[in-house]
Amino acid sequence: MCGQRIPAWLSGALVVGAFAALFVLERRRPLRHEVESKLTRGARNLAVAGVGAVALQLTESPVAFSLTALVERHELGLLKRLPLPAWLEVALAVLLLDYTLYVWHVLTHKVPFLWRFHVAHHVDLDLDASTALRFHFGELVVSVPWRAGQIVLLGVSPLAFSVWQTLLLLSILFHHSNVRLPAGAERRLNHLIVTPRMHGIHHSVVREETDSNWSSGLTVWDRLHGTLRLNVPQDEITIGVPAYREPGEIGLVKVLVMPFTEQRPAWQLPDGGTPVRAASPVSADHLLP
Ligand SMILES: [Zn+2]
């Protein structure tokens, strides 16, 4: 059973359906005021995503396909050493993949070579479901060895990998989206999973806010590491990276070549200043509207 994968048409339909539903909701109930036109940004982000999808097909997909099959055939990795029923093995694999992706996300911010690529995701001046797909193709390629390590060391089967990939895509579409959920409902949901207000804080121009909320699925990893930050009101957040504030600096070509050019000090505004925010009187784990 673990040798099977979720059919591509099913995960494809779920992801396209979620994107379409979020697109409609973003128009009806926007969470943050948008700086650029949705059409311009959407087209740019989908173009970056298209290049990324080709890169994934050429690099991660064949590696993940053969390594998960190898794990299944030779019972490699942590989870394959334990006598687990299939459902529990898949659930634990998803959990551990989610945690190791948290670690990878921290590294993409802390290691300058990786930040070169990840910055292309963060320079978007707005945040919506299309941002969730706009990862630089270089970031997707350099993450392949990490992904290979996750599969082989954790013992991730083809089924577990396809379940995690589908859930991850749905999760990142959701928490990047610009949808205003009722604050009470989002607070409850946020006890378990990353929500739009929480991830909005990770995309803030204030460095201490970006250096928080690294989780991509479950919020437990930020809670355990003390990196959870919820006490920033959404209407006070400026989305983006201080060094790139002009729409003209983040056009499609500029975003694609960004990792290969000289890097600006990302957390400095063009005038040399640094965005800061006065300390909130509300505790960090309280989600503000
Ligand atoms: Zn990030």
Side-chain angles (χ1 to χ4, degrees), residues 26-173:
E26 282 172 341
R27 303 213 132 200
R28 291 207 184 145
R29 299 178 53 91
L31 173 60
R32 291 166 294 258
H33 169 74
E34 293 185 331
V35 179
E36 279 193 279
S37 109
K38 206 165 178 67
L39 201 66
T40 315
R41 280 189 52 253
R44 182 196 304 137
N45 289 355
L46 291 182
V48 176
V51 180
V54 173
L56 276 180
Q57 282 307 311
L58 294 174
T59 58
E60 187 189 287
S61 296
V63 170
F65 192 92
S66 20
L67 286 182
T68 52
L70 203 70
V71 161
E72 191 61 22
R73 206 174 323 123
H74 299 288
E75 309 228 307
L76 301 174
L78 174 71
L79 294 168
K80 289 292 180 191
R81 312 243 146 196
L82 306 170
L84 300 169
W87 67 269
L88 186 57
E89 186 196 309
V90 171
L92 287 175
V94 169
L95 195 72
L96 293 173
L97 284 165
D98 194 43
Y99 178 58
T100 43
L101 186 66
Y102 168 96
V103 176
W104 173 253
H105 189 190
V106 174
L107 291 175
T108 61
H109 280 256
K110 304 289 179 194
V111 178
F113 173 73
L114 298 177
W115 173 247
R116 272 178 180 266
F117 297 98
H118 192 57
V119 73
H121 172 67
H122 274 268
V123 292
D124 204 353
L125 298 173
D126 294 297
L127 195 59
D128 65 15
S130 74
T131 317
L133 304 173
R134 106 182 232 145
F135 284 93
H136 194 278
F137 68 88
E139 176 170 354
L140 302 172
V141 173
V142 297
S143 74
V144 173
W146 186 268
R147 194 74 75 245
Q150 285 176 299
I151 293 170
V152 175
L153 296 176
L154 299 176
V156 179
S157 67
L159 178 64
F161 191 74
S162 64
V163 169
W164 171 70
Q165 254 189 336
T166 309
L167 290 176
L168 175 68
L169 264 168
L170 295 175
S171 172
I172 62 172
L173 283 173

